[in-house]
Amino acid sequence: MAYNVDITLIKMNKKYYYEYKGKIVNKIVYKGRTFFDKYEKVDKPLTLMIMNEHIERKKIIAHDLINRDRNIVENIVFDYNGNNPELFWNRVSLLLREEGFLNFTAYNSKTPGHLHLYIHKGHTTLNEAIQIGKKLSSKLALKLPKQWRMFPNDDLPPEFNILNLPYGLFKKERGASWAKHM
């Protein structure tokens, strides 16, 4: 099976990737808390062959949300772990349109019904992305029970601001095609 998920707008750094090992590979103390990392950084390019192994579920591969060289992010991500992805999509897409975000994509994760919704923001400083994520999360929490985490996240060590590669497209929003209805 070939990896054929359209991830072009994610603009991920493919110079390296993270591989899930199923055991603790690193212990990190961050803001007075201890985290146990089960992903190992692989300093090799993320190739189509590696992505194919991920989609075939031979390996679990993750990408970094933060461009470490420039301390910026291209995407702000809702990691939805609820049980009603359609309702989540409808509410979050309305919120994002109201807030002026026109390009966003929801991908299926490994667990059925769970989504990674990427807001394609482009060259945003890490601190600004964290603040925008918190603001969007707070506004959405007024409309839905909170069943998501935001990335990037300053409550986690920088090494934990990674997400598994998507397994499939759920839905996407591009441009202002909805604007004629307003």
Side-chain angles (χ1 to χ4, degrees):
M1 183 186 319
Y3 192 84
N4 60 1
V5 181
D6 181 12
I7 56 171
T8 51
L9 282 178
I10 295 177
K11 296 180 185 172
M12 65 180 72
N13 182 354
K14 293 185 178 178
K15 294 178 185 173
Y16 61 91
Y17 60 93
Y18 293 84
E19 183 177 346
Y20 178 76
K21 294 298 184 180
K23 63 181 183 187
I24 298 170
V25 294
N26 197 7
K27 178 181 166 183
I28 301 167
V29 177
Y30 182 77
K31 292 187 176 181
R33 295 173 54 200
T34 302
F35 295 86
F36 298 97
D37 195 356
K38 293 184 178 183
Y39 284 83
E40 184 175 69
K41 184 177 180 183
V42 179
D43 285 317
K44 294 180 182 174
L46 177 59
T47 63
L48 187 57
M49 188 171 82
I50 300 294
M51 295 166 81
N52 287 340
E53 289 178 356
H54 173 77
I55 202 75
E56 293 168 358
R57 299 180 190 247
K58 294 178 182 173
K59 293 181 179 180
I60 299 174
I61 305 298
H63 69 94
D64 200 343
L65 286 174
I66 303 169
N67 179 325
R68 307 283 172 188
D69 298 332
R70 300 174 56 205
N71 206 35
I72 63 169
V73 296
E74 297 290 336
N75 304 283
I76 300 165
V77 182
F78 280 91
D79 177 15
Y80 175 72
N81 295 313
N83 53 13
N84 194 339
E86 283 292 334
L87 178 63
F88 174 76
W89 170 261
N90 290 335
R91 296 283 169 86
V92 77
S93 61
L94 286 172
L95 171 68
L96 293 174
R97 288 183 211 129
E98 288 170 5
E99 294 294 322
F101 295 100
L102 303 178
N103 294 313
F104 46 93
T105 309
Y107 295 98
N108 296 310
S109 66
K110 186 176 181 180
T111 306
H114 291 194
L115 304 174
H116 291 161
L117 188 142
Y118 288 77
I119 304 164
H120 310 297
K121 178 83 171 71
H123 306 311
T124 306
T125 65
L126 179 58
N127 288 333
E128 181 185 2
I130 290 168
Q131 294 309 312
I132 292 170
K134 287 179 180 180
K135 176 181 146 193
L136 292 172
S137 181
S138 296
K139 286 187 174 190
L140 187 60
L142 297 172
K143 300 175 187 222
L144 284 175
K146 190 163 189 275
Q147 299 175 318
W148 61 84
R149 290 185 301 172
M150 297 302 298
F151 289 93
N153 184 327
D154 61 354
D155 294 330
L156 297 172
E159 299 87 353
F160 278 60
N161 280 285
I162 63 174
L163 286 172
N164 290 346
L165 294 178
Y167 284 91
L169 179 67
F170 180 73
K171 291 187 181 184
K172 63 183 176 180
E173 179 81 33
R174 298 286 177 270
S177 61
W178 54 270
K180 64 183 177 187
H181 303 292
M182 295 193 78

